[in-house]
Amino acid sequence: MELLKRKIEDEGTVLSGQVLKVDAFLNHQIDPVLMLEIGKEFSRLFAGEGVTKVLTLESSGIAPSVMAALEMKVPVVFARKQKSLTLTDNLYVERVYSFTKQQTNEVTVAKKFLSADDRVLIIDDFLANGEAALGLANIVKAAGAEVAGIGIVIEKSFQPGADKLKAAGYRVESLARVASLDNGKVTFLNNSVSEEDTHVQLV
Amino acid sequence: MELLKRKIEDEGTVLSGQVLKVDAFLNHQIDPVLMLEIGKEFSRLFAGEGVTKVLTLESSGIAPSVMAALEMKVPVVFARKQKSLTLTDNLYVERVYSFTKQQTNEVTVAKKFLSADDRVLIIDDFLANGEAALGLANIVKAAGAEVAGIGIVIEKSFQPGADKLKAAGYRVESLARVASLDNGKVTFLNNSVSEEDTHVQLV
């Protein structure tokens, strides 16, 4: 998605060979017009999948997911991250390890919001090691529902997440695929899913 | 806002005289079409205020805020809740006590995302005791910026938050104002800000 790649080039910050900071438009400050375009792109990519629900993880997944769900006219559910839980009777719970933050969160979804006939599109802001997306996919399976696909805003293709998810049989579509962050510079893979050049005025 | 009040009546759950649960469309599962209508309504109400930025609090404030910001064509910033902080040099930090959760969070915004010439619309999902909104307003003031107004999705008018915010000089617009949750029933105040009856198909 050219619009997203340009925004990453213009406003992203490479903090190291591993870390790309996009808090100017995705993770802390959010560009809502870009989010709408991202939502339209996910909707276009997964149009044939019969999606009935979007599932994401708080907080940075919410904005792109709400826009995708708006385009698809389905509800979103955002899984909650919690340090520890006592009452879990009505919840699906997965333990998800974050390599970036070096901590494990319990990720939860209320059972009443996923049913066995749901076809669920999982959306997340970043894909690195794939732990979060796999945790969400496990919750979908625990509900007896199907994963319709996994939509990622920014994939760090030099980390193993995308390969892990594909090996597990999931369709993964990433709107920007970062090949490398070496030498303080973002290098994209050529084969990002959409090469249209939109002329949208971002904020 | 009639559409919102109907949704609260149809899908909200009164857990006690103090607690209204809206996790079916706002706090865990999200209806994106309702969020868009909420965003339009905030945009209409604050159209004359010269808003340059929307400020909210993760996670439940993000969806309505992104839609309001989309309508207004301005960025959103979501403040982060954290238990404790060590490095705060580049952050505005406010301590916010939650009566519901009976815990204090440190609420933070990166300094680079608020500037002295911003006119900031603060949006939150609930208004009860007003602690969160006052914390966000203090962050706006710390940046030397101005609070253009405070937009609330659901106001619990039987709690003191709205009066506190108005006494502090802020314009407060709440889309649904709950007079009482007594006897397991939601009773609205009559004078909610908008009485149009839209015919939007929610999801």
Side-chain angles (χ1 to χ4, degrees):
Chain A
M1 187 178 171
E2 286 304 308
L3 190 70
L4 173 62
K5 291 199 271 184
R6 286 208 311 271
K7 190 86 167 182
I8 293 169
E9 285 170 342
D10 293 349
E11 298 184 24
T13 311
V14 178
L15 290 188
S16 72
Q18 305 290 307
V19 181
L20 170 65
K21 205 168 176 185
V22 289
D23 64 349
F25 59 90
L26 183 57
N27 285 334
H28 185 19
Q29 182 166 255
I30 299 171
D31 182 329
V33 178
L34 178 65
M35 293 305 121
L36 179 62
E37 295 303 315
I38 285 171
K40 286 179 184 171
E41 184 69 359
F42 282 134
S43 176
R44 189 183 71 77
L45 287 165
F46 293 100
E49 299 287 355
V51 173
T52 62
K53 198 156 277 193
V54 173
L55 178 64
T56 189
L57 192 55
E58 65 179 351
S59 290
S60 299
I62 293 174
S65 295
V66 168
M67 292 302 183
L70 179 70
E71 290 295 313
M72 297 177 139
K73 297 283 180 283
V74 299
V76 191
V77 175
F78 65 88
R80 294 188 170 279
K81 289 177 202 164
Q82 289 166 299
K83 275 287 151 41
S84 63
L85 287 166
T86 44
L87 292 167
T88 61
D89 283 0
N90 303 313
L91 299 174
Y92 297 114
V93 182
E94 278 286 317
R95 291 172 63 83
V96 170
Y97 181 72
S98 164
F99 287 87
T100 318
K101 296 186 182 163
Q102 295 192 301
Q103 67 181 28
T104 299
N105 281 300
E106 299 196 353
V107 166
T108 69
V109 173
K111 288 185 178 173
K112 63 181 170 182
F113 296 129
L114 286 175
S115 68
D117 48 7
D118 272 322
R119 289 187 53 81
V120 180
L121 173 59
I122 293 168
I123 289 182
D124 208 2
D125 57 337
F126 267 99
L127 175 58
N129 291 286
E131 299 295 312
L134 281 171
L136 294 178
N138 287 342
I139 285 175
V140 173
K141 287 196 288 191
E146 281 207 58
V147 176
I150 299 174
I152 299 294
V153 181
I154 303 173
E155 173 188 311
K156 294 196 282 184
S157 308
F158 56 88
Q159 289 182 293
D163 288 340
K164 258 195 262 180
L165 295 178
K166 287 170 189 168
Y170 299 118
R171 177 181 171 195
V172 179
E173 299 283 2
S174 303
L175 303 189
R177 302 176 70 201
V178 176
S180 144
L181 295 171
D182 292 345
N183 306 314
K185 190 174 164 300
V186 183
T187 308
F188 294 104
L189 286 186
N190 286 325
N191 55 338
S192 293
V193 289
S194 168
E195 297 301 330
E196 93 294 355
D197 196 341
T198 52
H199 297 277
V200 175
Q201 184 62 48
L202 301 178
V203 299
Chain B
M1 185 178 172
E2 285 306 309
L3 190 71
L4 173 62
K5 290 199 270 184
R6 287 209 310 273
K7 190 86 167 181
I8 293 169
E9 283 169 344
D10 293 349
E11 299 183 26
T13 312
V14 179
L15 290 188
S16 73
Q18 305 289 308
V19 181
L20 170 65
K21 206 168 175 183
V22 290
D23 63 350
F25 59 91
L26 182 57
N27 285 334
H28 186 19
Q29 183 166 255
I30 299 171
D31 183 330
V33 178
L34 179 63
M35 293 304 121
L36 179 62
E37 295 303 315
I38 284 172
K40 285 179 184 171
E41 185 67 0
F42 282 135
S43 177
R44 189 184 72 76
L45 288 165
F46 292 100
E49 299 288 354
V51 173
T52 62
K53 198 156 277 192
V54 173
L55 177 64
T56 189
L57 192 55
E58 65 179 351
S59 289
S60 299
I62 294 174
S65 296
V66 168
M67 292 303 184
L70 179 69
E71 289 296 313
M72 298 177 139
K73 298 284 180 284
V74 299
V76 191
V77 175
F78 65 89
R80 295 188 170 279
K81 290 177 202 164
Q82 289 167 298
K83 277 285 151 41
S84 63
L85 286 166
T86 44
L87 292 168
T88 61
D89 284 359
N90 303 312
L91 300 174
Y92 298 112
V93 182
E94 277 287 317
R95 291 171 63 84
V96 171
Y97 181 73
S98 166
F99 287 87
T100 318
K101 296 187 182 163
Q102 296 190 300
Q103 67 181 29
T104 299
N105 282 300
E106 298 195 355
V107 167
T108 68
V109 174
K111 288 184 179 173
K112 62 182 170 182
F113 294 129
L114 287 175
S115 67
D117 48 7
D118 273 321
R119 287 187 54 81
V120 180
L121 174 59
I122 293 168
I123 289 182
D124 207 2
D125 57 338
F126 268 100
L127 175 59
N129 290 287
E131 299 295 311
L134 281 172
L136 294 179
N138 287 342
I139 285 175
V140 173
K141 288 196 287 190
E146 280 206 58
V147 176
I150 299 174
I152 299 294
V153 180
I154 303 173
E155 173 187 312
K156 294 196 282 184
S157 309
F158 55 88
Q159 289 181 293
D163 289 341
K164 256 194 262 181
L165 296 179
K166 287 171 190 168
Y170 299 118
R171 178 181 169 195
V172 179
E173 299 284 1
S174 304
L175 303 189
R177 301 177 70 200
V178 176
S180 145
L181 296 171
D182 292 346
N183 307 313
K185 192 176 162 301
V186 183
T187 309
F188 294 104
L189 285 187
N190 287 325
N191 54 340
S192 292
V193 288
S194 168
E195 296 302 330
E196 92 294 357
D197 198 340
T198 53
H199 296 277
V200 175
Q201 184 64 48
L202 299 179
V203 299

